[in-house]
Amino acid sequence: MKRLAKWRLFSLFAMMALILSACSGKPYLSTLKPAGEVAQTQFDLMVLSTVIMVGVIAVVTVIFFIVVFKFRRKDDRIPKQVEGSHKLEIIWTVIPILLLLILAVPTVSATFKLADVSPMEKKNEEGKTDALVVNVRANLYWWEFEYPNQEIITGQELVVPTDEKVYFNLIASDVKHSFWIPAVGGKLDTNTDNVNKFWLKFDSEKAADADNYFYGKCAELCGPSHALMDFKVKAVPRDEFDQWATAMAEVKEPKKAETDLAQAGQEVFNNSCIGCHAVTPANTAPEAARLAPNLTNFGDRDRIAGILDHTEEDLKDWLRDPETFKPGNKMTGTYGELSEEELDALTEYLMGLKVMEQ
């Protein structure tokens, strides 16, 4: 029995360690370090509900021990019966109602506030919205971000301005996914048959703490590489965002390679990759024909495939065998085996796809 008790204790500590391992406290990832209005509202509600639950548990525990030690049975006398006591019935009826009201009022208020996406529906004379809108399309296992007002498309890395509301249209191409930036707001599903809408606001001071990068995740079990379906969010001041959007929009034609090696890589790209990847931001292809992330600004990004370091070696490893890093992805087997010379050339070309240096 003692050994069984020890194993139970060990299992309890193991489970607690597993649960608490998610509370890393990283400013770019942790829900316990809210980095925006939505995340702060949800965090406050979580704290309020936790305080109330812990308070109820504490009060019940105190009453339990008072009863155990003060009124424990010392003789055969029957203690005073409280059945039918109107006073007690009122107390244990009114208190739960008050607690529910304390929880319900701010929760309902926050629900309506966070669900208000009316600014993204109002069109100006140009047929565009004054609010910043991003159309998010989730795929196995990558993300596409389309800015309809700016008429640009990018993938894997979402760029947003800080200290203003950013509105999102969420949809999926294949199976159900879930769009989630843990430090900035709660998750919302992306479905194949309807568009979900919500907004987020990125705090500039919190973004600075996170080096202007937040981590995004898929929160819906969507396949073998579900846990690897990451994306990055670059949150920058409004003027810097405008510079980025303008630089992206100015790319009208695929960037020409500047070195002999990059030119060779561009030929490899045109022969093997361009059928799925676009290298101009104004991608007019139908959504169903966009089979892979847009690579217009690939050289400016922070990660490769959302999970690997943005280095030449990691890019070559990814191109050699993407299945090793993302099992079940749609890129594996779509192009032939590349020689080392072709990998060097293709890497040179892809790393040169930058818009901010133009």
Side-chain angles (χ1 to χ4, degrees):
M1 292 297 291
K2 287 184 178 180
R3 178 174 295 182
L4 181 60
K6 288 181 180 179
W7 273 108
R8 287 178 176 175
L9 189 61
F10 175 78
S11 301
L12 177 62
F13 278 111
M15 290 180 62
M16 290 296 295
L18 179 63
I19 294 172
L20 292 176
S21 65
C23 307
S24 61
K26 302 297 184 183
Y28 51 81
L29 180 63
S30 176
T31 58
L32 301 181
K33 289 192 172 182
E37 184 177 340
V38 174
Q40 187 63 56
T41 301
Q42 294 168 338
F43 180 78
D44 293 342
L45 289 174
M46 183 173 65
V47 170
L48 175 64
S49 59
T50 302
V51 168
I52 291 176
M53 287 187 290
V54 171
V56 170
I57 293 172
V59 170
V60 171
T61 302
V62 170
I63 294 174
F64 173 77
F65 282 108
I66 290 175
V67 171
V68 168
F69 291 105
K70 186 174 181 180
F71 300 102
R72 57 185 173 184
R73 189 172 183 178
K74 301 176 182 178
D75 49 40
D76 293 334
R77 288 181 299 175
I78 298 176
K80 180 182 178 181
Q81 302 300 296
V82 297
E83 181 180 359
S85 171
H86 289 173
K87 184 178 180 180
L88 288 176
E89 288 180 348
I90 290 173
I91 290 174
W92 58 52
T93 300
V94 171
I95 290 178
I97 291 176
L98 290 176
L99 293 178
L100 285 176
L101 287 175
I102 293 172
L103 274 175
V105 172
T107 301
V108 172
S109 174
T111 299
F112 279 96
K113 179 182 178 182
L114 300 182
D116 180 16
V117 292
S118 56
M120 71 187 298
E121 309 293 349
K122 298 176 182 176
K123 301 292 180 64
N124 56 29
E125 294 179 351
E126 298 177 354
K128 299 179 179 179
T129 62
D130 293 327
L132 177 61
V133 177
V134 181
N135 298 332
V136 177
R137 193 165 63 90
N139 309 267
L140 291 170
Y141 299 94
W142 58 280
W143 299 85
E144 179 183 88
F145 306 110
E146 179 178 11
Y147 301 73
N149 289 347
Q150 289 73 21
E151 299 180 349
I152 57 177
I153 296 175
T154 186
Q156 292 299 93
E157 187 171 293
L158 173 67
V159 182
V160 293
T162 55
D163 298 328
E164 65 178 87
K165 290 183 178 178
V166 181
Y167 294 85
F168 296 93
N169 289 311
L170 307 178
I171 197 165
S173 295
D174 31 49
V175 300
K176 181 190 286 289
H177 302 276
S178 188
F179 181 79
W180 188 25
I181 308 171
V184 186
K187 66 195 79 169
L188 192 64
D189 281 351
T190 64
N191 303 316
T192 57
D193 52 357
N194 69 285
V195 176
N196 283 332
K197 303 180 180 184
F198 80 141
W199 60 269
L200 294 173
K201 193 172 182 179
F202 300 77
D203 184 89
S204 56
E205 293 184 3
K206 301 293 185 182
D209 293 340
D211 293 331
N212 296 105
Y213 271 100
F214 295 104
Y215 282 20
K217 312 286 290 185
C218 176
E220 190 74 51
L221 184 58
C222 58
S225 286
H226 145 72
L228 303 173
M229 191 174 160
D230 291 3
F231 62 96
K232 299 296 173 288
V233 186
K234 188 177 182 181
V236 295
R238 181 69 199 199
D239 58 344
E240 192 172 330
F241 170 80
D242 289 339
Q243 291 174 14
W244 172 81
T246 300
M248 285 285 285
E250 288 176 348
V251 180
K252 303 298 183 185
E253 299 290 337
K255 182 180 179 181
K256 293 184 179 179
E258 297 177 351
T259 66
D260 292 342
L261 185 60
Q263 288 176 2
Q266 190 168 16
E267 291 181 10
V268 175
F269 182 86
N270 290 338
N271 291 330
S272 304
C273 314
I274 204 167
C276 299
H277 293 280
V279 285
T280 55
N283 190 349
T284 56
E287 292 183 358
R290 302 174 196 164
L291 304 177
N294 188 297
L295 300 180
T296 301
N297 61 337
F298 178 82
D300 292 327
R301 294 178 186 169
D302 184 65
R303 287 288 190 277
I304 297 169
I307 53 174
L308 301 176
D309 291 338
H310 199 264
T311 64
E312 293 186 358
E313 286 305 313
D314 278 14
L315 177 56
K316 291 176 185 176
D317 289 342
W318 167 258
L319 293 172
R320 284 190 189 98
D321 186 12
E323 193 69 14
T324 300
F325 302 96
K326 279 191 176 180
N329 76 86
K330 298 297 182 65
M331 182 170 167
T332 301
T334 56
Y335 55 94
E337 184 175 349
L338 300 174
S339 66
E340 289 302 310
E341 290 76 16
E342 289 174 323
L343 282 173
D344 291 340
L346 186 55
T347 299
E348 175 89 356
Y349 171 66
L350 291 175
M351 286 296 187
L353 294 176
K354 300 180 179 180
V355 300
M356 295 306 294
E357 293 180 356
Q358 292 183 348

